[in-house]
Amino acid sequence: MPYFTTKDECKIFYRTHGIDTSDRVVILLNGTTQTTLYWGAHAPAFSKQFGLVCYDARAQGQSGLGDEPITLKLHVADLKELCAHLGIDSAHLVGLSHGARLALALAKDSPEMVDRLVLCSLGAKTSYRSQAAVRSWIKILQLSGLEAMAWAALPTVFGSNFLRHHHKAMEMIVAAVAKRNNANALIAQLEAILRYPAPDRMPDGYNRPTLVLSGSEDALVSPADAGLLADFCNARYEELTGIGHSIPAEAPRVFERRVLEFLTEKPGGEK
């Protein structure tokens, strides 16, 4: 299986689809409890037009935890090392939740590495609700383990429409989260997230085309905070009705259509 090793000897797992560094590349960035498998259903749509990279960030899935304390800066360094390992100078970044926070941090740190930016389920403020949710997940992990934490997270990370139409699949979803994650690594990641600074305005002169997507039923990110983030990035903003925090899973065709339309637009918004 494809791994690369970071400078601090942490093994990072990744997958690629049709990578040719002379063509445009999309990097899909996971949410906190997700792995590369989360993007499997979307790979065919994206790989028709782009080279595709997805990876398990440090402390996710099949990647290691490493010995360094987890920080947002360390995640950015890992992503930059992965791009160097694959010979990618710049790419479109499509991030969900924690992946969106990472994409935003890379764009701020090294804008020359970003072609276009798509930020899903991320706001400009760290709400008390989201902080309480993360703290509760840490406590549940410590007391009862991964399966209990996954059950507790369901009504927070999915909207009511998804929960209603997929109620019979909840046990499978929980089992997948428990199987694909390590409790100690996830605790370390969640504790690090609590220390992240809230997103700030992009520097003057930042001009990377950016799209912000949020769900109207997102319990962790309010539309107002997502809209404020779009203002900070001089971005296009769209609120998706009836969708919660997990946009690609809840509305896969809508997600693919909106993102691919954005990524393939000509400068000035022409298709």
Side-chain angles (χ1 to χ4, degrees), residues 16 29 41 77 90 96 101 121 123 149 154 157 164 166 172 218 236-237 244 250 253 270:
T16 62
L29 300 162
S90 66
L96 171 66
R101 187 68 184 89
S121 305
M149 177 264 172
L154 287 177
V157 299
R164 180 172 66 253
H166 296 83
M172 289 190 296
D218 191 333
R236 184 186 310 174
Y237 171 59
E250 296 182 54
R253 303 292 83 80
E270 297 178 6

Side-chain angles (χ1 to χ4, degrees), residues 4-10 12 14 55 58 73-88 106 113:
F4 85 99
T5 303
T6 65
K7 292 178 180 178
D8 68 325
E9 302 299 318
C10 182
I12 302 294
Y14 66 92
Y55 75 104
R58 184 183 296 249
K73 184 176 180 180
L74 185 60
H75 278 303
V76 169
D78 289 344
L79 179 52
K80 292 172 73 172
E81 286 188 49
L82 174 60
C83 288
H85 174 75
L86 295 174
I88 297 171
L106 178 65
M113 295 184 65

Side-chain angles (χ1 to χ4, degrees), residues 31 91 102 235:
L102 171 55

Side-chain angles (χ1 to χ4, degrees), residues 25 41 47 54 61 74 86 122 143 152 178 242 244-245 251 257 259:
V25 174
S47 60
C54 51
L74 185 60
L86 295 174
L122 183 69
L143 295 175
H245 192 71
R257 184 169 63 254
V259 173

Side-chain angles (χ1 to χ4, degrees), residues 51-72:
L52 191 62
V53 177
C54 51
Y55 75 104
D56 293 342
R58 184 183 296 249
Q60 289 180 340
Q62 298 182 67
S63 290
L65 177 59
D67 296 325
E68 296 289 329
I70 294 180
T71 63
L72 185 58

Side-chain angles (χ1 to χ4, degrees), residues 164-180:
R164 180 172 66 253
H165 292 299
H166 296 83
H167 67 278
K168 294 182 179 179
M170 292 298 105
E171 289 190 6
M172 289 190 296
I173 293 172
V174 167
V177 171
K179 180 179 180 180
R180 298 170 187 172

Side-chain angles (χ1 to χ4, degrees), residues 138-232:
I138 293 171
K139 185 61 67 175
I140 293 168
L141 282 166
Q142 292 170 335
L143 295 175
S144 303
L146 275 163
E147 188 171 335
M149 177 264 172
W151 275 112
L154 287 177
T156 304
V157 299
F158 293 118
S160 58
N161 287 333
F162 183 87
L163 292 171
R164 180 172 66 253
H165 292 299
H166 296 83
H167 67 278
K168 294 182 179 179
M170 292 298 105
E171 289 190 6
M172 289 190 296
I173 293 172
V174 167
V177 171
K179 180 179 180 180
R180 298 170 187 172
N181 286 277
N182 174 279
N184 290 332
L186 185 53
I187 289 170
Q189 170 75 326
L190 292 170
E191 289 177 340
I193 288 172
L194 289 174
R195 299 189 293 270
Y196 286 2
D200 201 355
R201 291 188 178 276
M202 299 302 279
D204 291 342
Y206 174 81
N207 61 356
R208 295 299 186 267
T210 302
L211 172 66
V212 175
L213 296 175
S214 74
S216 65
E217 292 193 5
D218 191 333
L220 298 175
V221 178
S222 72
D225 285 347
L228 182 60
L229 177 68
D231 289 342
F232 282 3

